[in-house]
Amino acid sequence: MTSPAMRPRELPFSADLMRKLLEETAEFPGADYRVLSYYVTAGPLGETVREIAKTVAGTVKISEGTVSKSIGRLVANGWLAPAYRVGAVSFYRAGDKVLELAAADDQQAEQPLATVSHLPMRGIDNE
């Protein structure tokens, strides 16, 4: 457990991140994107989502079996990561691939768009 002072800066969530996730998981079944979207938006990015698969299934309107299969594919491909287990129930968080996309998106947002330099003009006396 980390104290608030030791916590890393929270990665931003953006529409651009969701578009990138959609593009990157396009070859997966549609349910996978819905499940991934749930986990990415259910709390701060990278934090454990403390919801059971039954809750996820009810929210995204797909069967529990489909959610389970989607979670398995997403974990195997690095989009979700297991956080911990309580008995037979596993809890997950966004995986390294999601965090890498979010970090790249964050670095782009911090870069300046342009730099302006004023050049001296001929014929004008500089005071």
Side-chain angles (χ1 to χ4, degrees):
M1 188 157 137
T2 61
S3 68
M6 294 174 60
R7 276 190 118 146
R9 189 169 66 87
E10 186 176 308
L11 290 171
F13 173 81
S14 67
D16 190 45
L17 174 62
M18 288 306 293
R19 183 186 52 75
K20 287 178 184 176
L21 292 176
L22 177 61
E23 291 171 357
E24 294 289 327
T25 61
E27 72 274 3
F28 296 167
D32 290 8
Y33 177 72
R34 290 166 67 181
V35 170
L36 181 59
S37 297
Y38 183 88
Y39 279 96
V40 170
T41 60
L45 197 55
E47 296 280 323
T48 300
V49 176
R50 291 174 174 86
E51 309 251 349
I52 61 175
K54 182 177 182 178
T55 303
V56 176
T59 302
V60 298
K61 307 292 189 246
I62 54 180
S63 72
E64 289 179 52
T66 301
V67 168
S68 179
K69 289 176 186 174
S70 290
I71 288 172
R73 278 189 295 269
L74 293 167
V75 167
N77 288 290
W79 295 104
L80 286 180
Y84 61 87
R85 286 179 69 97
V86 176
V89 179
S90 296
F91 295 91
Y92 301 91
R93 63 170 180 78
D96 290 341
K97 285 188 176 182
V98 174
L99 300 178
E100 288 169 9
L101 286 175
D105 197 31
D106 187 38
Q107 288 174 352
Q108 281 185 326
E110 291 179 3
Q111 292 179 356
L113 294 177
T115 306
V116 177
S117 298
H118 296 282
L119 299 173
M121 297 178 67
R122 287 187 184 168
I124 298 178
D125 290 332
N126 291 333
E127 296 177 6

